[in-house]
């Protein structure tokens, strides 16, 4: 019993197939296709379609273009996929905590992967500097200039597809009382919050959830200014292991965010298991970095003080964003069980009247 009226879950576990299985497969490929179309048009005067980019027609131009990014896994895999689809080169930078499984998943798409001895921010700095020196394209949602640069703006525009899909499927968006988003540098949370701000007559509570050891958004809210996390960044939530908030999105999160929560990894594992079980509802494959919202809902069900602090009650209608599936199958199986077992049970429950 969750003690709320309704729970809605946006499932990204099969976005472009279970191998990619993340909302980030929207942003990077779209941005790659856009910048390659610009490059072809600049040289030839012709603007190709994305279908033409998938052929060899303009390969003599696109194969000279290199895209790069720093990643915890999903963004890099999405960029490598886009580069392979549209015919350019790709270099991905990962930090010391990225799992071997996530590194191998990126390499399967043909990208060169460079591991940096340090945290996520060190890999970002190296990727940006290499891009500057080599005239590569740094494809990231993080912006240092209020999204004046086209590439981060393009990535964020593509992310809004996922937000608009969710809004379109909600029967009455004005009945939603709570929206939970995960942390990281804050880019996708900002996109989600802006989507609801534009559509809702009365803004729901917008709740940010982060790991205890990677809580830069919580710290920023507590101090009233962008503040780095002092945690170890050692968390199973690999996609959220970021030291600092994206400068350009903090103003959005500070403006719209109502609650900032940091939670231990043990809550995350419990939530992943609960989602995989389904409890009579549709079972869901949810990766570590997307289970935070469900983790808080589960804990609030057993903790009246937490429920009261968040304003959760029997009339609450809650939206969760499951932004990734089992992006490292070995880790998912160790924590929850084989992902295919969960996927195999989905059609059975869908057919129940």
């Amino acid at each position: 019993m969750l003690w709320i009226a309704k729970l809605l879950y946006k499932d990204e576990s099969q976005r472009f197939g279970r191998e990619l299985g993340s909302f980030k497969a929207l942003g990077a490929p779209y941005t790659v296709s856009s910048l390659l179309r610009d490059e072809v048009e600049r040289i030839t005067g012709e603007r190709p379609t994305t279908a033409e980019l998938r052929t060899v027609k303009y390969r003599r131009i696109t194969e000279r273009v290199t895209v790069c990014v720093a990643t915890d896994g999903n963004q890099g895999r999405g960029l490598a996929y886009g580069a392979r689809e549209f015919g350019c080169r790709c270099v991905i930078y990962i930090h010391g905590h990225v799992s071997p499984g996530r590194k191998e998943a990126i390499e399967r798409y043909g990208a060169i992967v460079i591991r940096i001895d340090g945290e996520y921010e060190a890999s970002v700095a190296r990727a940006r500097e290499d891009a500057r020196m080599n005239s590569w394209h740094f494809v990231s949602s993080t912006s240092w200039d209020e999204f004046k640069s086209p590439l981060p703006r393009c990535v964020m525009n593509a992310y809004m597809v996922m937000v608009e899909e969710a809004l379109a499927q909600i029967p009455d968006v004005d009945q939603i009382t709570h929206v939970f988003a995960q942390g990281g540098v804050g880019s996708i949370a900002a996109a989600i919050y802006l989507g609801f701000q534009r559509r809702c007559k009365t803004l729901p509570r917008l709740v940010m959830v982060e790991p205890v050891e990677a809580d830069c958004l919580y710290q920023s809210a507590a101090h009233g200014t962008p503040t780095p996390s002092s945690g170890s960044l050692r968390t199973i939530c690999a996609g959220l292991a970021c030291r600092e908030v994206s400068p350009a999105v903090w103003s959005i999160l500070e403006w719209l965010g109502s609650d900032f929560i940091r939670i231990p990894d043990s809550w995350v594992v419990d939530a992943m298991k609960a989602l995989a079980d389904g409890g009579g509802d549709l079972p869901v494959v949810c990766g570590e970095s997307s289970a935070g919202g469900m983790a808080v809902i589960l804990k609030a069900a057993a903790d009246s003080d937490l429920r009261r602090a968040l304003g959760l009650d029997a009339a609450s209608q809650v939206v969760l964003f499951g932004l990734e599936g089992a992006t490292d199958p070995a880790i998912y199986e160790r924590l929850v069980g084989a992902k295919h077992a969960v996927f195999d049970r989905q059609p059975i429950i869908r057919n129940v009247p």
Side-chain angles (χ1 to χ4, degrees):
M1 179 69 73
L2 298 179
W3 304 107
I4 60 176
K6 185 176 291 185
L7 182 67
L8 304 175
Y9 184 94
K10 180 67 170 84
D11 183 10
E12 292 290 300
S13 65
Q14 300 186 69
R15 173 71 69 177
F16 295 160
R18 296 173 187 175
E19 279 297 309
L20 285 172
S22 164
F23 80 99
K24 289 196 173 180
L26 286 167
Y30 172 69
T31 305
V32 170
S33 69
S34 297
L35 70 88
L36 291 178
R37 292 175 74 196
D38 289 345
E39 181 67 6
V40 170
E41 185 175 28
R42 183 184 69 82
I43 293 173
T44 69
E46 304 169 350
R47 188 159 186 83
T49 65
T50 53
E52 287 175 322
L53 287 180
R54 286 188 169 96
T55 71
V56 298
K57 182 176 181 179
Y58 296 105
R59 197 56 50 89
R60 70 189 187 282
I61 297 172
T62 62
E63 67 185 3
R64 294 177 176 273
V65 175
T66 300
V67 294
C68 72
V69 78
T71 185
D72 295 297
N74 292 342
Q75 177 78 350
R77 190 159 59 249
L79 187 63
Y81 166 78
R84 189 191 68 176
E85 285 293 295
F86 301 121
C88 68
R89 296 177 294 187
C90 183
V91 181
I92 302 297
Y93 295 80
I94 61 175
H95 58 84
H97 300 168
V98 175
S99 71
R102 290 190 169 94
K103 174 179 180 290
E104 293 164 6
I106 295 168
E107 290 174 329
R108 283 198 293 272
Y109 289 103
I112 296 171
V113 179
I114 299 173
R115 187 182 289 274
I116 302 301
D117 184 16
E119 297 177 350
Y120 172 71
E121 281 68 26
S123 63
V124 171
R126 171 68 182 278
R128 291 183 71 196
E129 180 60 13
D130 283 2
R132 185 191 66 81
M133 290 191 303
N134 295 292
S135 297
W136 297 346
H137 299 273
F138 180 67
V139 181
S140 172
S141 62
T142 300
S143 173
W144 290 265
D145 63 1
E146 299 297 329
F147 290 100
K148 294 176 183 176
S149 300
L151 295 187
R153 192 165 62 241
C154 197
V155 173
M156 290 293 286
N157 284 341
Y159 288 169
M160 289 304 297
V161 170
M162 185 270 300
V163 179
E164 291 298 326
E165 287 175 350
L167 289 166
Q169 293 175 66
I170 296 172
D172 186 351
V173 72
D174 287 313
Q175 294 299 311
I176 299 302
T177 60
H178 297 74
V179 177
F180 285 74
Q182 281 65 243
V185 300
S187 296
I188 187 57
I192 291 169
Y193 290 1
L194 282 172
F196 278 86
Q197 189 272 336
R198 291 204 319 267
R199 291 284 295 276
C200 295
K201 296 175 183 176
T202 301
L203 194 65
R205 289 179 74 150
L206 302 172
V207 185
M208 177 70 65
V209 185
E210 296 174 284
V212 168
E213 297 297 335
D215 61 346
C216 61
L217 302 175
Y218 177 95
Q219 294 298 336
S220 298
H223 291 86
T225 189
T227 304
S229 171
S230 60
S232 68
L233 302 189
R234 295 284 185 175
T235 170
I236 62 171
C237 305
L240 310 182
C242 303
R243 181 69 66 189
E244 299 178 359
V245 61
S246 170
V249 305
W250 173 244
S251 58
I252 298 171
L253 301 179
E254 183 181 33
W255 166 40
L256 296 176
S258 61
D259 303 86
F260 294 78
I261 304 175
R262 51 184 181 176
I263 65 174
D265 282 357
S266 59
W267 291 23
V268 171
V269 177
D270 290 343
M272 292 171 67
K273 290 178 178 177
L275 287 165
D277 177 73
D281 289 318
L282 186 72
V284 174
V285 174
C286 179
E288 310 91 274
S289 296
S290 284
M294 185 64 184
V296 174
I297 292 295
L298 287 173
K299 288 298 177 181
D303 185 334
S304 59
D305 289 336
L306 179 57
R307 227 171 28 251
R308 192 176 306 111
L310 288 171
L312 290 166
D313 57 33
S316 296
Q317 296 192 23
V318 179
V319 177
L320 304 181
F321 281 82
L323 299 176
E324 68 169 14
T327 54
D328 187 321
I331 292 177
Y332 185 86
E333 184 164 1
R334 187 178 77 242
L335 296 176
V336 180
K339 66 175 182 178
H340 62 76
V342 181
F343 283 128
D344 289 347
R345 287 179 14 247
Q346 288 182 348
I348 298 173
I349 292 183
R350 282 196 180 111
N351 289 334
V352 174

